[in-house]
């Protein structure tokens, strides 16, 4: 068996174990990366194709070390990881500041009609998740949803899980929305502002908001049958506006970096990380936190995803260097016919199911390069297939109540509120809107980007 197929088997086993044991997925990606590098060093040139300059030197030590050097230096997208880490810290500080919660309470306080207020909850949750991520947005909106439901005397289960589904939809809407949006931006070369307009076309942010509006209207009509009465919105006091200013500075820095021909590829990552460090210093010094509180704040951040992605990048790098991506792309092209619409639908639908039942981070890292090759084979001029892949997988996480961190967090809140939900009830009450949002997103993406 060729070494590249051994690497593919390692990637497949890692993926299965990561899905089956999600809480320990970082161990599986790290172990897979270690095995990949070890095989590359034991069999130089078999797994990682060696550059001509190293072959010309005929240095066996250099050949063996190439697997490690390429994996750590090239395969791992350090700039992306630094940006992701910095934004993760800044969005956590933003949630701490209570600014998003204040904006939501002000929005709800202007409307006294329950059904319309529910629509506003969905819209505000979606917009928040586009800019701070699905999980932080749900953390902000969950108390609002539970309080709203209790006051109007109905079960908050479907309402909260529907909000979680809406938050999941926004995973591809903006640069800060999710790991998926970061990966798509890195793969496609899309800068932050390209999520609004790209090549003169309406981009993913506005497409996602159209799908969000369709889902919000459905939920409003659906819940209006049972939601009656009056409610009040609790007042929220803002802790500080500093995190908002830091996040705004981050946006400005990322836009400036994308518009400047800078040779140092890590400049945007270092810049965002430095801003995040200033944010942490503000949190510790000016918010007068103890060392225990400071480290507790850091501990609650999603470090697992950061280290998880490092391992997957290394595995993906080996698959790319060994030619597996080209082979997989050839298989897809040979079995999907010549219709561009057919391949678009296949990629979108498969990605929805992947998001519904699997872990989308390795799915995107491992298969997005394959989709890039397929896209060239079908003559697509833009990144429509990659966008379909990212959008489908993000929307798919809202198709089931147990795959994403956002959904699991919603279920955890409901458990504390002694609210149970059966899978059949989920299928009847929440899934239809998720299907509507997916359909609207796919149709608009095809007609606007094809």
């Amino acid at each position: 068996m060729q070494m590249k197929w051994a690497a593919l088997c390692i990637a497949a086993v890692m993926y299965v174990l990561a899905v089956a044991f999600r809480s320990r997925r970082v161990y599986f990606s790290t172990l897979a990366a270690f095995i990949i590098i070890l095989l590359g060093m034991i069999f130089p040139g078999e797994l990682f194709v060696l550059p001509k300059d190293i072959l010309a030197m005929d240095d066996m030590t250099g050949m063996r070390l190439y697997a490690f050097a390429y994996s750590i230096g090239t395969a791992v997208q350090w700039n992306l990881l630094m940006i992701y880490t910095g934004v993760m810290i800044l969005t956590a500080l933003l949630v701490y500041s209570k600014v998003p919660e204040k904006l939501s309470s002000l929005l709800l306080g202007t409307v006294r009609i329950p059904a319309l207020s529910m629509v506003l909850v969905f819209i505000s949750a979606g917009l928040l998740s586009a800019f701070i991520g699905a999980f932080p947005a749900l953390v902000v909106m969950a108390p609002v949803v539970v309080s709203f439901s209790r006051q109007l005397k109905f079960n908050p289960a479907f309402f909260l899980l529907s909000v979680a589904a809406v938050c999941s939809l926004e995973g591809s809407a903006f640069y800060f929305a999710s790991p998926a949006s970061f990966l798509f931006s890195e793969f496609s070369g899309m800068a932050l502002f390209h999520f609004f307009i790209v090549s003169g076309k309406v981009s993913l942010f506005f497409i996602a908001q159209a799908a969000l509006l369709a889902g919000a209207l459905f939920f409003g009509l659906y819940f209006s049958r049972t939601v009656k009465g009056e409610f009040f919105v609790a007042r929220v006091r803002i802790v500080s506006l500093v995190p908002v200013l830091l996040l705004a500075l981050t946006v400005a820095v990322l836009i400036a970096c994308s518009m400047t021909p800078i040779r140092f590829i890590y400049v945007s990552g270092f810049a965002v990380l430095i801003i995040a460090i200033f944010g942490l210093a503000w949190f510790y010094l000016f918010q007068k936190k103890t060392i225990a509180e400071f480290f507790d704040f850091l501990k609650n951040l999603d470090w697992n995803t950061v280290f998880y992605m490092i391992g997957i990048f290394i595995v993906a790098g080996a698959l790319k260097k060994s030619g597996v991506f080209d082979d997989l792309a050839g298989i897809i092209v040979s079995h999907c016919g010549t219709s561009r619409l057919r391949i678009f639908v296949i990629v979108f639908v498969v990605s929805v199911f992947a998001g519904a039942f699997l872990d989308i981070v390795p799915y995107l890292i491992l298969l997005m390069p394959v989709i890039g090759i397929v896209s060239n084979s079908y003559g697509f001029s833009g990144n429509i297939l990659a966008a379909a892949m990212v959008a489908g997988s993000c929307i798919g996480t809202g198709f089931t109540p147990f795959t994403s961190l956002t959904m699991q967090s919603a279920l955890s809140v409901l458990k504390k509120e002694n609210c149970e939900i059966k899978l059949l009830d989920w299928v009847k009450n929440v899934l239809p809107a998720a299907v509507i949002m997916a359909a609207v997103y796919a149709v608009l993406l095809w007609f606007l980007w094809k």
Side-chain angles (χ1 to χ4, degrees):
M1 183 175 67
Q2 289 182 309
M3 193 59 63
K4 64 180 180 181
W5 300 118
L8 183 60
C9 290
I10 292 171
V13 171
M14 175 202 70
Y15 199 162
V16 171
L17 291 175
V19 172
F21 305 98
R22 185 180 177 86
S23 62
R24 299 180 180 179
R25 59 181 186 166
V26 66
Y27 300 119
F28 301 124
S29 69
T30 303
L31 179 60
F34 176 78
I35 295 173
I36 287 290
I37 294 175
L38 187 62
L39 288 175
M41 297 177 71
I42 295 174
F43 304 101
E46 293 291 326
L47 188 55
F48 294 86
V49 178
L50 299 173
K52 292 181 179 179
D53 56 342
I54 294 181
L55 289 171
M57 293 172 61
D58 197 25
D59 179 11
M60 184 56 68
T61 301
M63 292 179 181
R64 293 188 186 280
L65 290 176
Y66 177 75
F68 177 81
Y70 176 84
S71 297
I72 301 300
T74 303
V76 178
Q77 304 292 326
W78 292 110
N79 191 63
L80 181 146
L81 290 173
M82 285 190 289
I83 294 174
Y84 177 76
T85 302
V87 170
M88 175 180 68
I89 293 170
L90 291 171
T91 52
L93 291 172
L94 186 64
V95 172
Y96 165 79
S97 73
K98 292 189 178 298
V99 171
E101 192 174 338
K102 178 68 173 180
L103 292 175
S104 299
S105 65
L106 288 174
L107 183 64
L108 282 177
T110 61
V111 180
R112 310 310 302 174
I113 303 173
L116 183 56
S117 296
M118 296 185 82
V119 172
L120 292 178
V121 168
F122 288 116
I123 293 175
S124 58
L127 290 174
L128 276 178
S129 62
F131 291 101
I132 68 174
F135 177 67
L138 186 73
V139 171
V140 171
M141 297 305 299
V144 176
V145 171
V146 171
S147 173
F148 186 93
S149 304
R150 292 305 187 199
Q151 290 181 59
L152 299 179
K153 296 181 174 60
F154 71 95
N155 190 329
F158 299 125
F159 190 13
L160 185 60
L161 288 171
S162 300
V163 168
V166 164
C167 291
S168 299
L169 159 75
E170 296 285 336
S172 63
F174 190 54
Y175 195 87
F176 296 161
S178 69
S181 59
F182 280 93
L183 293 170
F184 174 68
S185 176
E186 188 74 15
F187 171 80
S188 63
M190 285 178 58
L192 183 145
F193 54 85
H194 288 147
F195 281 85
F196 297 101
I197 299 292
V198 59
S199 301
K201 300 177 181 178
V202 172
S203 196
L204 300 184
F205 178 82
F206 295 110
I207 295 175
Q209 303 327 307
L212 166 66
L213 182 59
L217 291 175
F218 173 87
F219 282 127
L221 292 172
Y222 182 84
F223 287 113
S224 64
R225 299 175 302 172
T226 56
V227 177
K228 306 291 181 184
E230 297 182 354
F231 65 96
F232 70 92
V233 180
R235 293 183 178 180
V236 177
R237 184 178 180 181
I238 294 176
V239 175
S240 173
L241 291 175
V242 170
V244 177
L245 299 176
L246 291 175
L247 205 57
L249 178 61
T250 300
V251 172
V253 166
L254 288 173
I255 291 175
C257 289
S258 66
M259 299 177 68
T260 306
I262 303 174
R263 292 185 179 181
F264 182 52
I265 61 173
Y266 300 119
V267 65
S268 56
F270 275 116
V272 173
L273 208 53
I274 289 171
I275 294 172
I277 291 172
F278 273 108
L280 289 174
W282 164 82
F283 178 74
Y284 177 68
L285 297 174
F286 291 91
Q287 295 300 297
K288 299 178 181 180
K289 300 296 180 181
T290 64
I291 294 179
E293 290 173 327
F294 178 76
F295 280 103
D296 189 56
F297 174 84
L298 289 178
K299 185 180 69 174
N300 289 326
L301 298 176
D302 189 17
W303 298 108
N304 273 344
T305 297
V306 177
F307 291 103
Y308 181 46
M309 286 196 289
I310 291 175
I312 299 170
F313 276 132
I314 292 174
V315 175
L319 296 178
K320 177 182 179 181
K321 288 290 286 183
S322 63
V324 171
F325 287 162
D326 294 307
D327 295 333
L328 292 177
I331 293 172
I332 293 173
V333 172
S334 64
H335 285 81
C336 292
T338 58
S339 171
R340 285 153 51 102
L341 177 58
R342 180 188 299 172
I343 190 64
F344 171 83
V345 173
I346 290 173
V347 169
F348 189 86
V349 172
V350 169
S351 298
V352 167
F353 278 95
F357 298 102
L358 303 175
D359 191 340
I360 67 171
V361 171
Y363 172 74
L364 294 175
I365 293 177
L366 295 173
L367 291 182
M368 197 176 290
V370 177
I371 293 302
I373 300 171
V374 172
S375 182
N376 292 333
S377 299
Y378 279 86
F380 287 107
S381 58
N383 296 293
I384 183 171
L385 288 188
M389 186 180 189
V390 172
S393 59
C394 290
I395 294 171
T397 59
F399 269 58
T400 54
F402 44 76
T403 55
S404 70
L405 179 62
T406 306
M407 288 297 179
Q408 291 173 0
S409 176
L411 290 173
S412 177
V413 171
L414 293 174
K415 185 177 181 180
K416 292 178 182 178
E417 295 292 324
N418 296 317
C419 298
E420 295 184 0
I421 182 171
K422 297 179 181 178
L423 184 59
L424 182 60
D425 293 330
W426 161 272
V427 171
K428 291 191 315 184
N429 295 278
V430 180
L431 189 59
V435 173
I436 290 172
M437 291 188 290
V440 171
Y441 201 122
V443 170
L444 289 177
L445 181 61
W446 171 254
F447 283 106
L448 292 174
W449 279 38
K450 68 175 180 176

